[in-house]
Amino acid sequence: MTPKDMMAVDSNAEELGISKSALMENAGKSVADHIIDILDPCKIVIFAGTGGNGGDGFVAARHLLNNGYNVELFFIGRSDRIKSHETLQNWTAIQNINSGLNSLKVKTIEDSSTLKKVTAPVIVDALLGTGVKGKLREPVSSAIDIINKSEGIKIAVDVPSGLDPLTGNVQDKAVEADFTLTFHEIKTGLKKAAVRYVGNVILYDIGIPKEAEIFLGKGDLLRLKKRDITSHKGNNGRVLVIGGSRDYSGAPTLAAHAAFKSGVDLVHVACPQSVALPIRSYSPDFIVHTLSEEIIVEEDIDEIVELSKNVDSVVIGCGMGRDAETVTALNEIVGEIKKPMVIDADGLKLLYNDILHEIENEVIVTPHSAEFKVLSGLDVPEGLKDKMEIISKVSNENKCVVLLKGALDTISNGEKTRLNKTGNPGMTVGGTGDCLAGLTGGLLAKGHDAFEAACLGAYINGRAGDMASVKYEYHFTATDMMKYIDDAFR
Ligand SMILES: NC(=O)C1=CN([C@@H]2O[C@H](COP(=O)(O)OP(=O)(O)OC[C@H]3O[C@@H](n4cnc5c(N)ncnc54)[C@H](O)[C@@H]3O)[C@@H](O)[C@H]2O)[C@@H](O)CC1
Ligand SMILES: [K+]
């Protein structure tokens, strides 16, 4: 589990009704319980930082005091640096119980030179956890040295301070713990770290439900890439939409517009000449490449493959039609394009059934249940668990991400399978699938991996549909829905 996963899961749990305060209470209490298990009441020294890790330390202090332990708490930093509500809440609680009626001693250390070696049966490292960023700063940096020089059993909360929670690397220095008590899931860095830092890693459940990991939630928006202020044209992604046929100019138009709404810089559309004019006149923003015929045919293949070389992702299939010539062209194109790709709608129906697992680059297929049947020969089962299993199996077999659209979208990359609740029956209107394809292609172009792009695409597209239904109830078009995509991102 990466720190970003942890942050997303944490926020999703909150959205499901389990507060961050509850999670912190459970985390801190599990640290206290561990100490109570291994040692009779004695002196415990806790070094607490200004973030959530520090918050866990404050909670542990309270529970240890209630069980007759003497607690010496060093708060390392400035209380005005405490950002999270639940950490501040627990800092306030510490202040309020620092009454002299119990054996709590609190010292706030802003200047690391005042730090001295301590001797105690147990020393708790609650300085830094999954939120560590960049080079270690004072006074935390010296506090880590002090902990390592001190006598006593070292217990690291969640992650030994100074250790990179993702890679397990130590850039500068880190606490050398005898025990690392970590929460919810073992962070990837703890598995990779040298034992001298993590000691015995013990995992505690803190009450986060499985649903917070499986269902997409607002926490997953934390995964969205931030726009770099120094970026210039093209940095934020370029998408090529390949689609359209004599009667279908709308599908590639909607896909191209949705790609723009995802925040990419450039959108190219490769479409048959029969639909080039309406697409071009819809928006001056599109770069429209007119292909040779009324429909996409084999002589278009080279030009399309050439075009794909200057973009970051490709969205193919919208409104392509099903002429025999188009079928051959499509399968050639899908086999030759070496870029992350979304294959949607007609593109899905026309694929040769063994072509997908030959493709190396990242592919997302976005079938609804009928297209899924064509693609896999399988019916979508009723039960949620069965559905997740089948999608995961098909994803594994075809080595691509499957985004199965439905009242509940199912997204799988063969290892992880997630569900998306956003969206509503108003979205059965034509064109919302083209929006989803364009949006997902945009997220791919912005650098999200296929699984993340498909998850975020499904979540944001459905969220935009939910926002549209507030105004239009079930009487909105895909064009209406498009107007809400930016709000859905926010
Ligand atoms: N995410 C979750 O589900 C839960 C997280 N909890 C705790 O919250 C922690 C994550 O909290 P945060 O995200 O606030 O992050 P941390 O508490 O790990 O660290 C952030 C704090 O450390 C400071 N800091 C960051 N990098 C630094 C550096 N290089 N040098 C000096 N100071 C630095 C920051 O200014 C910030 O105040 C977890 O490790 C865990 O201990 C628990 O409360 C349980 C629930
Ligand atoms: K820590």
Side-chain angles (χ1 to χ4, degrees), residues 6-7 9-10 20 23-25 27 49-54 56 81 83-84 87 127-138 140-141 157-159 183 206 208:
M6 209 54 222
M7 271 164 62
V9 156
D10 190 2
K20 291 188 179 178
L23 298 180
M24 183 168 281
E25 191 69 21
T50 50
N53 207 241
D56 298 348
R81 288 284 163 82
K83 289 184 281 291
S84 84
T87 301
L127 292 166
L128 293 176
T130 54
V132 62
K133 285 188 184 61
K135 259 188 81 45
L136 292 177
R137 301 188 295 273
E138 289 302 353
V140 165
S141 178
V157 176
D158 203 26
V159 179
F183 312 122
I206 52 172
I208 295 175

Side-chain angles (χ1 to χ4, degrees), residues 210-384:
K210 220 54 212 122
E211 286 72 12
E213 286 180 339
I214 292 180
F215 286 105
L216 282 155
K218 69 175 162 108
D220 290 293
L221 293 176
L222 295 167
R223 301 169 188 280
L224 284 170
K225 303 250 175 218
K226 299 276 173 291
R227 206 179 189 88
D228 185 345
I229 45 170
T230 61
S231 65
H232 50 269
K233 190 170 78 170
N235 272 158
N236 297 292
R238 301 157 299 171
V239 178
L240 168 62
V241 174
I242 306 164
S245 57
R246 68 175 79 79
D247 316 330
Y248 295 104
S249 66
T253 307
L254 289 169
H257 191 180
F260 260 130
K261 296 295 280 184
S262 77
V264 297
D265 286 343
L266 291 171
V267 177
H268 297 257
V269 182
C271 62
Q273 61 179 331
S274 53
V275 291
L277 188 63
I279 292 178
R280 202 176 260 116
S281 54
Y282 176 87
S283 160
D285 309 303
F286 302 151
I287 304 167
V288 179
H289 305 271
T290 309
L291 300 171
S292 60
E293 297 284 330
E294 292 269 290
I295 53 170
I296 291 179
V297 293
E298 288 182 67
E299 51 261 48
D300 298 325
I301 294 172
D302 294 347
E303 179 181 356
I304 287 173
V305 173
E306 208 41 47
L307 284 172
S308 75
K309 289 176 182 150
N310 321 324
V311 297
D312 305 296
S313 74
V314 171
V315 178
I316 187 164
C318 306
M320 263 180 117
R322 299 188 213 176
D323 292 71
E325 282 222 57
T326 304
V327 177
T328 320
L330 168 80
N331 284 281
E332 290 278 319
I333 292 163
V334 165
E336 284 194 39
I337 285 186
K338 302 287 169 246
K339 289 289 168 70
M341 204 180 328
V342 178
I343 307 176
D344 180 51
D346 293 338
L348 281 173
K349 296 188 191 98
L350 310 181
L351 280 180
Y352 301 146
N353 56 14
D354 56 357
I355 189 166
L356 279 175
H357 55 248
E358 278 154 27
I359 302 170
E360 264 76 49
N361 39 308
E362 293 209 283
V363 169
I364 300 169
V365 293
T366 58
H368 48 57
S369 45
E371 289 159 341
F372 182 77
K373 170 101 177 168
V374 169
L375 187 76
S376 65
L378 299 169
D379 286 318
V380 176
E382 276 312 303
L384 210 40

Side-chain angles (χ1 to χ4, degrees), residues 159-179:
V159 179
S161 299
L163 195 87
D164 180 317
L166 194 55
T167 61
N169 297 337
V170 171
Q171 187 191 50
D172 182 7
K173 65 181 90 166
V175 163
E176 298 179 8
D178 299 297
F179 293 93

Side-chain angles (χ1 to χ4, degrees), residues 426-464:
M427 291 176 67
T428 53
V429 68
T432 55
D434 302 311
C435 286
L436 173 64
L439 188 48
T440 307
L443 290 164
L444 273 181
K446 288 159 73 71
H448 291 283
D449 70 49
F451 184 59
E452 198 166 78
C455 287
L456 289 170
Y459 182 79
I460 291 165
N461 200 52
R463 177 63 73 223

